[in-house]
Amino acid sequence: MSGLFLTLEGGDGSGKSTQSALLAAWLRERGREVVLSREPGGTELGAEIRELLLHRRAYMAPRAEALLYAADRAQNVATVVRPALEAGAVVLQDRYLDSSVAYQGAGRVLSPDEVRRLSLWASEELLPDLTILLDLDPAVGRARLDGARTRYDRLEAERQDFHERVREGYLALAAAEPARFLVLDASQPVHDIADAIRGRVATLL
Ligand code: TYD
């Protein structure tokens, strides 16, 4: 059986972890081995990089930030994702290179193309088989987070217009690669979104 690389993308509060858990359970019921992973912080080295990225309050230059996400990705792809795909597993990952293009590219000041090239260099050109984009108005995502959080990380704490640019960046990526993306309205009920995801993933199994 060949491996399958699925990624979930979307703004903070868009429901990626909920959908990831539902999809993982469904795939396991179908007898597939599922490896759950995430960026940043899916490896031991990544956990240290994640701390730097999310909880260091001092100024971080945009290129330094992009390189840290890329370093986290390089380690995750080399030690978690590729070995799992080679073993025939379904890798279900919370965030991948589209996060970098949307946050460090569209959100910050870097060129989205350059950020994408950096990410592809870090991952040795690994692209997902399918990317599920949970599209949501950032104000709604923020309101969902407000219920669950007492403290925001460095990116969550960015202003509303940053998160608007991230959303637009994601939608532009999906428009540019329609075959790789499944775009879903994340304000729909959880089970409707889960059904739509299963329908598409079933075509890839
Ligand atoms: P995430 O782990 O999804 O946050 P949480 O566990 O708090 O929901 O991601 C952390 C933050 O990192 C998130 O705000 C998005 C950002 N991010 C980037 O800016 N670039 C990237 O390449 C990735 C993977 C994440």
Side-chain angles (χ1 to χ4, degrees):
M1 206 179 286
S2 59
L4 197 61
F5 185 27
L6 309 176
T7 59
L8 282 147
E9 296 283 357
D12 301 302
S14 59
K16 295 184 300 299
S17 7
T18 304
Q19 292 301 332
S20 168
L22 290 170
L23 182 59
W26 181 81
L27 285 163
R28 285 177 179 138
E29 277 165 25
R30 263 143 206 80
R32 292 297 302 243
E33 189 197 337
V34 179
V35 171
L36 290 169
S37 66
R38 72 161 182 178
E39 291 181 7
T43 61
E44 222 171 281
L45 174 63
E48 292 190 36
I49 297 173
R50 182 182 169 91
E51 270 304 301
L52 291 174
L53 279 165
L54 301 188
H55 302 303
R56 219 173 155 271
R57 292 285 152 179
Y59 172 75
M60 190 181 290
R63 282 164 196 265
E65 181 183 282
L67 285 161
L68 285 171
Y69 279 110
D72 170 74
R73 182 156 304 131
Q75 184 75 5
N76 188 44
V77 169
T79 66
V80 176
V81 180
R82 282 198 193 271
L85 292 175
E86 277 156 20
V90 179
V91 177
L92 185 48
Q93 181 159 305
D94 196 331
R95 298 191 181 280
Y96 188 54
L97 93 167
D98 301 297
S99 277
S100 281
V101 182
Y103 283 76
Q104 280 66 56
R108 303 263 190 237
V109 291
L110 304 175
S111 137
D113 276 354
E114 284 179 7
V115 175
R116 181 184 164 92
R117 272 191 275 129
L118 173 68
S119 266
L120 286 173
W121 180 80
S123 69
E124 296 183 79
E125 314 293 321
L126 182 68
L127 277 173
D129 297 294
L130 174 68
T131 298
I132 299 149
L133 173 58
L134 299 176
D135 177 54
L136 189 65
D137 177 343
V140 176
R142 166 51 56 113
R144 288 184 182 174
L145 283 188
D146 282 344
R149 297 275 160 95
T150 49
R151 181 163 172 254
Y152 292 106
D153 70 40
R154 212 171 49 81
L155 282 102
E156 286 166 355
E158 279 291 338
R159 290 156 32 147
Q160 179 83 8
D161 60 325
F162 173 84
H163 292 287
E164 296 284 356
R165 289 200 302 281
V166 168
R167 182 190 195 187
E168 293 311 315
Y170 270 135
L171 290 172
L173 285 169
E177 279 181 87
R180 174 163 71 87
F181 275 87
L182 171 66
V183 184
L184 295 171
D185 171 359
S187 68
Q188 295 180 92
V190 168
H191 287 282
D192 292 355
I193 298 173
D195 282 346
I197 294 175
R198 286 170 192 161
R200 179 62 174 271
V201 171
T203 67
L204 300 173
L205 294 177

